[in-house]
């Protein structure tokens, strides 16, 4: 026992030191964020709910992802936004709890950036009695109007699985193809496609809330200590939709990252970013486009525990997250109405950001929290709010065609906010 303790204490110290910014600023102290700051101007005039006609199911949205429709010449003709929501999240959340009622289903939505319409996708052929709680989702781009595979992480009643659907630019139906399950789908969270039938998937924890007895304490310990247990895998599936064993391969592409959450592939395909929520960092990897193997290159601090991430067309990584975990925890338990939001852009720059004062346009600059983003990157705030203008930001996407910034809120009543430029 003494031996175990003497080994554990320095280890614990190391983990706490590695999580120090997160621990101090995002857990112990509430950052003094404004009601609303948007890098392009006044939030009151530029930001509004994505869905103007309220729908009781369009709330508590987790992921949002830009779906590109390419014309015959290969250029992007139209861009849509796929959104995953779960109005029953307060009764079913396998990441943060609780696990009370898995039955009311979550929903998938499609927003057209041209018409401004937000439509619910009807699930076709979805197995009866199969519960549906969507988290991360990504669709392969459509070419010349063809249909695309859409993959959705589903933290269903008994196990977290990945649903494969087919969506078409000309309909509002998500046709169920099959459910993908694997012993190493322990806690899938986010997906980034490498082809129509292969993808990276993060697993946010190794110890999940589903575990009997220890499920309410061990996962939170894994989170707070930043234990490097979670991982990102690369998965290839059989293009034959009727194959008896749909998963052809599962490899650990990026093991030993604490609380791996969002994942995204750069526009060139050569870089992959993974968000570590518990360490408040983004890990960058170079990607072998033939084997999908990842090689760690560098990591960059962000001023909050990042949730989902996504590259824009210019190669900036848009990162959304939770500036104050305890407030989010209270929101999950319905003890409070809103939790803060923060969205930053992590952009490549030549050389080192040595200055300790940066992001100074923001009401509450990132440099108030993190010393320097490190070499070759800079961090700048796109949106921040104490929760009044927008609550519990979870994912953000920047559409360089329309100039719009989309932000989803994990427990936001308005579901998704659009900020125009
Ligand atoms: C933002 O716009 C609102 C209403 O359009 C206005 O009342 C407010 O003063 C503006 N804020 C700033 C900082 O300009
Ligand atoms: C749509 O076309 C693209 C490009 O030819 C192809 O890669 C993709 O597999 C097609 N999608 C489906 C679902 O067949
Ligand atoms: C990708 O991996 C393959 C197989 O290991 C190797 O032959 C190739 O050189 C790698 N490509 C790059 C760009 O490293
Ligand atoms: C920053 O970029 C330079 C030049 O590309 C490279 O040599 C260096 O290793 C990079 N630093 C980090 C920490 O990635």
């Amino acid at each position: 026992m003494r031996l175990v303790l003497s080994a554990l204490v320095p280890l614990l110290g190391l983990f706490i030191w590695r999580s120090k910014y997160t621990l101090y600023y995002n857990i112990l102290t509430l950052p003094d964020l404004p009601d609303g700051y948007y890098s392009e101007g006044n939030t009151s005039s530029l930001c509004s709910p994505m869905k103007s006609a309220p729908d009781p199911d369009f709330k508590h949205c987790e992921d949002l992802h830009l779906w590109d429709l390419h014309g015959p010449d290969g250029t992007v003709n139209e861009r849509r936004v796929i959104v995953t929501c779960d109005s029953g999240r307060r009764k079913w959340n396998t990441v943060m709890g609780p696990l009370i009622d898995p039955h009311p289903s979550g929903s998938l939505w499609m927003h057209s950036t041209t018409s401004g319409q937000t439509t619910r996708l009807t699930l076709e052929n979805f197995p009866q009695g199969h519960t549906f709680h969507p988290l991360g989702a990504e669709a392969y781009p459509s070419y010349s109007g063809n249909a695309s595979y859409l993959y959705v992480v589903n933290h269903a009643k008994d196990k977290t699985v990945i649903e494969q659907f087919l969506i078409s630019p000309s309909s509002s139906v998500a046709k169920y193809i099959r459910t993908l399950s694997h012993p190493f789908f322990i806690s899938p969270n986010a997906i980034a496609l490498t082809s129509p039938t292969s993808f990276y998937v993060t697993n946010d924890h190794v110890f999940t809330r589903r575990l009997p007895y220890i499920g309410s304490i061990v996962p939170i310990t894994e989170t707070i200590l930043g234990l490097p247990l979670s991982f990102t895998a690369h998965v290839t599936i059989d293009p034959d939709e009727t194959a008896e064993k749909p998963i052809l391969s599962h490899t650990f592409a990026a093991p030993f990252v604490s609380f791996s959450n969002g994942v995204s592939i750069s526009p060139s395909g050569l870089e992959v970013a993974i968000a570590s929520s518990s360490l408040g960092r983004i890990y960058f990897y170079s990607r072998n486009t033939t084997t999908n193997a990842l090689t760690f290159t560098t990591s960059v601090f962000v001023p909050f525990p990042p949730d989902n991430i996504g590259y824009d067309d210019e190669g900036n990584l848009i990162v959304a997250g939770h500036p104050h975990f305890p407030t989010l925890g209270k929101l999950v338990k319905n003890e409070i109405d809103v939790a803060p939001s923060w969205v930053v852009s992590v952009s490549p720059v030549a050389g080192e950001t040595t200055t300790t004062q940066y992001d100074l346009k923001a009401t509450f600059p990132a440099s108030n929290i993190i010393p320097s983003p490190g070499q070759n990157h800079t961090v700048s705030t796109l949106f921040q709010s104490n929760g009044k203008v927008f609550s519990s930001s979870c994912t953000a996407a920047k559409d360089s065609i329309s100039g719009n910034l989309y932000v989803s809120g994990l427990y936001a009543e308005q579901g998704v906010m659009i900020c125009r430029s």
Side-chain angles (χ1 to χ4, degrees):
M1 192 61 196
R2 285 263 293 276
L3 200 71
V4 173
L5 267 183
S6 59
L8 261 178
V9 167
L11 207 61
L12 225 61
L14 176 71
F15 289 134
I16 291 175
W17 179 81
R18 292 191 336 145
S19 318
K20 64 186 169 195
Y21 301 119
T22 307
L23 197 62
Y24 184 69
Y25 289 102
N26 309 122
I27 295 181
L28 299 180
T29 53
L30 180 67
D32 187 16
L33 298 171
D35 287 356
Y37 163 84
Y38 174 43
S39 56
E40 303 304 308
N42 192 330
T43 56
S44 320
S45 46
L46 296 175
C47 302
S48 55
M50 173 182 268
K51 198 166 187 334
S52 42
D55 184 307
D57 284 339
F58 191 76
K59 65 174 185 182
H60 303 180
C61 301
E62 209 263 0
D63 205 6
L64 57 82
H65 164 68
L66 301 177
W67 183 38
D68 284 350
L69 311 184
H70 294 261
D73 61 352
T75 59
V76 177
N77 277 352
E78 196 190 332
R79 193 162 255 179
R80 297 195 189 161
V81 191
I82 294 169
V83 184
T84 70
C85 305
D86 193 348
S87 57
R89 198 182 306 283
R90 280 230 165 77
K91 294 207 165 143
W92 192 258
N93 182 338
T94 58
V95 186
M96 300 191 66
L99 303 177
I100 298 170
D101 182 6
H103 294 294
S105 270
S107 49
L108 301 178
W109 302 79
M110 179 84 75
H111 173 82
S112 162
T113 57
T114 38
S115 73
Q117 295 292 316
T118 309
T119 338
R120 185 174 181 155
L121 292 178
T122 315
L123 307 189
E124 193 180 288
N125 296 348
F126 198 71
Q128 269 217 324
H130 187 30
T131 47
F132 187 55
H133 295 280
L135 286 182
E138 197 165 305
Y140 200 72
S142 164
Y143 292 88
S144 306
N146 82 344
S148 295
Y149 285 136
L150 164 69
Y151 296 87
V152 183
V153 171
N154 174 12
H155 55 161
K157 178 166 170 277
D158 298 318
K159 191 176 185 308
T160 302
V161 292
I162 298 174
E163 311 293 352
Q164 185 184 9
F165 295 98
L166 192 67
I167 53 170
S168 157
S170 55
S171 85
S172 50
V173 166
K175 187 176 161 226
Y176 171 86
I177 305 290
R178 54 186 162 177
T179 296
L180 307 171
S181 185
H182 190 275
F184 289 128
F185 288 179
I186 297 172
S187 50
N189 190 306
I191 287 181
L193 298 188
T194 50
S195 83
T197 51
S198 61
F199 49 81
Y200 293 108
V201 55
T202 57
N203 275 260
D204 52 53
H205 285 79
V206 163
F207 295 106
T208 75
R209 284 188 182 261
R210 294 179 189 274
L211 294 171
Y213 309 114
I214 60 167
S216 61
I217 181 72
V218 175
I220 193 81
T221 312
E222 187 182 335
T223 305
I224 291 183
L225 297 183
L227 301 183
L229 298 176
S230 81
F231 58 89
T232 298
H234 186 266
V235 175
T236 307
I237 66 168
D238 197 324
D240 176 2
E241 293 175 4
T242 60
E244 217 163 281
K245 288 179 77 184
I247 295 182
L248 296 180
S249 75
H250 178 287
T251 54
F252 294 97
F256 310 127
V257 172
S258 313
F259 201 153
S260 318
N261 201 329
V263 59
S264 184
I265 303 173
S266 68
S268 69
L270 296 173
E271 186 176 80
V272 167
I274 297 172
S276 163
S277 294
S278 44
L279 295 188
R281 271 195 231 192
I282 308 296
Y283 287 83
F284 289 97
Y285 299 81
S286 68
R287 168 174 171 245
N288 184 317
T289 51
T290 316
T291 62
N292 286 301
L294 299 179
T295 312
F296 173 76
T297 51
T298 189
S299 76
V300 173
F301 282 114
V302 287
F304 49 80
D307 197 322
N308 284 321
I309 56 181
Y311 284 93
D312 70 5
D313 295 332
E314 282 75 42
N316 305 301
L317 189 73
I318 312 302
V319 183
H322 309 288
H324 196 241
F325 241 80
T327 312
L328 181 67
K330 283 186 185 159
L331 183 63
V332 170
K333 293 192 187 130
N334 217 353
E335 294 169 3
I336 203 170
D337 292 329
V338 292
S341 293
W342 201 336
V343 177
V344 296
S345 165
V346 176
S347 308
V349 289
E352 188 164 8
T353 310
T354 45
T355 168
T356 52
Q357 298 284 304
Y358 60 93
D359 189 28
L360 297 178
K361 260 182 71 194
T363 317
F364 188 83
S367 65
N368 285 0
I369 292 187
I370 42 169
S372 150
Q375 258 194 323
N376 303 343
H377 287 92
T378 180
V379 171
S380 60
T381 295
L382 300 181
F383 178 84
Q384 59 187 189
S385 170
N386 54 20
K388 288 220 174 84
V389 170
F390 195 75
S391 165
S392 56
S393 60
C394 179
T395 311
K398 183 93 205 284
D399 171 20
S400 335
I401 299 177
S402 62
N404 291 349
L405 177 73
Y406 302 92
V407 188
S408 67
L410 196 59
Y411 287 89
E413 295 302 313
Q414 59 166 285
V416 178
M417 171 186 72
I418 305 181
C419 291
R420 294 173 177 79
S421 60

